[in-house]
């Protein structure tokens, strides 16, 4: 794209007796048994130890108590049971969120934010001067690791984002793809029999933030039937964006569709910093239309877009 491609067609029970204190064995392992003397001490109440010896009741009791406590501490350590002091007064146990999970691929130190896969091979090779839409751009290694679905409160960690919002009264499935295909060919990412897009479904009123790495060139549409398959995006209003082109540093965004009678969904894309908005009314209608007035160029720097469907 130029952002700017002119060729869109290629585009248990309670314990009742001490006997129930026996530790349970885990399948395939041998149950860890407490030492015999310690086990007997733990299962014997103080009043069951009989009369204290003359002249040594207090001392013997304290010594035995200290011994029991020391052995109990050793047992807890052996079983990896944390002590109460490990928690603190305000400790809380929280389930980790899905977004906090570590990426399932190698990452690199990107200036666009954490968690992206390394840039794809050849992504910085310049496109022909007379055919800027043939740029390969970055698709990440592995493919699609140049884009991440993130939580809204993570947005500040990333330089380039797009917040998708469903303004309709029905669920909408967004299909988001790299312009460069999984086979490395420019403008082949739209062919879902050759390249795998990202998809997510938004309920009415729901939003989803997606973060992008530098030098990414992407497009998206609402799938007709909610499926990512060849032709699912044909006849739809497309959104397109490039984030920090490697040659110029500039970004851009637009709405696009070459099928003249194909518009059956409304879409608006807004630069959150400037308020500049493009809608389906700005979309390209034919390949002969001059796209210059329909692209929105953005100088080098952060870019946060907002895309509303419907």
């Amino acid at each position: 794209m130029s952002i700017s491609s002119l060729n869109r067609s290629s585009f248990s029970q309670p314990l009742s007796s001490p006997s129930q204190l026996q530790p349970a064995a885990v399948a395939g392992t041998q149950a860890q048994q407490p030492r015999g003397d310690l086990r007997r001490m733990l299962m014997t109440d103080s009043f069951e130890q009989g009369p204290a010896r003359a002249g040594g009741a207090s001392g013997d009791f304290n010594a035995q108590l200290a011994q029991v406590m020391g052995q109990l501490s050793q047992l807890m350590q052996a079983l990896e049971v944390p002590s109460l002091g490990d928690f603190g007064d305000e400790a809380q146990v929280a389930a980790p969120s899905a977004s906090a999970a570590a990426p399932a691929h190698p990452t690199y130190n990107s200036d666009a934010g954490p968690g992206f896969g390394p840039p794809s091979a050849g992504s910085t090779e310049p496109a022909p001067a007379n055919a800027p839409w043939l740029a390969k751009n970055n698709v990440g290694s592995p493919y699609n690791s140049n884009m991440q679905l993130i939580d809204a409160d993570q947005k500040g960690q990333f330089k380039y984002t797009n917040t998708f919002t469903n303004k309709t009264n029905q669920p909408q499935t967004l299909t988001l793809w790299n312009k460069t295909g999984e086979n490395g060919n420019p403008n082949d990412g739209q062919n879902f029999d050759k390249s795998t897009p990202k998809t997510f479904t938004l309920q009415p009123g729901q939003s989803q933030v997606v973060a992008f790495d530098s030098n990414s060139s992407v497009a998206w549409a609402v799938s007709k039937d909610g499926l990512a398959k060849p032709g699912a995006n044909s006849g739809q209003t497309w959104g397109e964006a490039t984030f920090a082109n490697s040659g110029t540093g500039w970004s851009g965004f637009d709405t696009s569709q070459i099928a003249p009678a194909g518009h059956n969904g409304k879409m608006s894309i807004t630069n959150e910093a400037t308020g500049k908005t493009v809608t389906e009314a700005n979309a390209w209608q034919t390949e002969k239309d001059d796209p210059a007035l329909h692209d929105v160029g953005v100088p080098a720097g952060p870019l946060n877009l907002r895309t509303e469907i419907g």
Side-chain angles (χ1 to χ4, degrees), residues 35-255:
R35 288 179 48 189
D37 54 350
L38 176 59
R39 184 169 182 269
R40 285 193 299 271
M41 291 180 184
L42 293 176
M43 296 177 62
T44 304
D45 293 325
S46 59
F47 56 80
E48 292 180 307
Q49 299 193 24
R53 289 176 297 176
S58 177
D60 289 349
F61 175 79
N62 290 336
Q64 292 175 2
L65 179 60
Q67 182 181 8
V68 170
M69 294 304 295
Q71 292 175 327
L72 179 60
S73 178
Q74 294 175 8
L75 176 62
M76 294 176 68
Q77 293 177 6
L79 297 179
E80 297 182 354
V81 177
S83 66
L84 295 177
D86 291 337
F87 293 102
D89 294 335
E90 299 178 358
Q92 296 180 353
V93 179
S97 64
S99 61
H105 55 75
T107 62
Y108 81 114
N109 187 23
S110 171
D111 65 351
F116 294 110
S120 51
S123 59
T124 58
E125 295 177 3
N130 61 343
W133 57 88
L134 294 182
K136 289 186 176 181
N137 301 101
N138 175 29
V139 298
S141 300
Y143 190 74
N144 285 341
S145 63
N146 63 316
M147 56 179 87
Q148 305 178 61
L149 275 64
I150 62 172
D151 293 336
D153 60 3
Q154 297 177 304
K155 185 175 175 179
Q157 302 178 36
F158 297 90
K159 202 170 181 179
Y160 309 107
T161 66
N162 195 347
T163 302
F164 296 89
T165 301
N166 178 10
K167 306 292 285 189
T168 75
N169 59 4
Q170 295 180 336
Q172 300 288 344
T173 297
L174 266 292
T175 304
L176 171 66
W177 63 94
N178 277 295
K179 301 290 284 297
T180 296
E182 202 161 354
N183 54 12
N185 294 335
N187 290 321
D188 216 4
Q190 66 196 31
N191 299 314
F192 301 154
D193 55 339
K194 300 177 182 179
S195 300
T196 305
K198 281 186 177 291
T199 62
F200 52 93
T201 298
L202 298 176
Q203 299 301 319
Q206 186 179 13
S207 296
Q208 174 63 59
V209 184
V210 183
F212 299 90
D213 200 2
S214 300
N215 193 30
S216 294
S217 188
V218 301
W220 59 89
V222 179
S223 298
K224 287 182 177 180
D225 53 7
L227 300 176
K229 64 181 183 181
N233 58 325
S234 300
Q236 300 294 95
T237 301
W238 288 16
E240 298 179 299
T242 290
F243 299 97
N245 178 274
S246 63
T248 66
W250 278 55
S251 300
F253 60 99
D254 63 61
T255 53

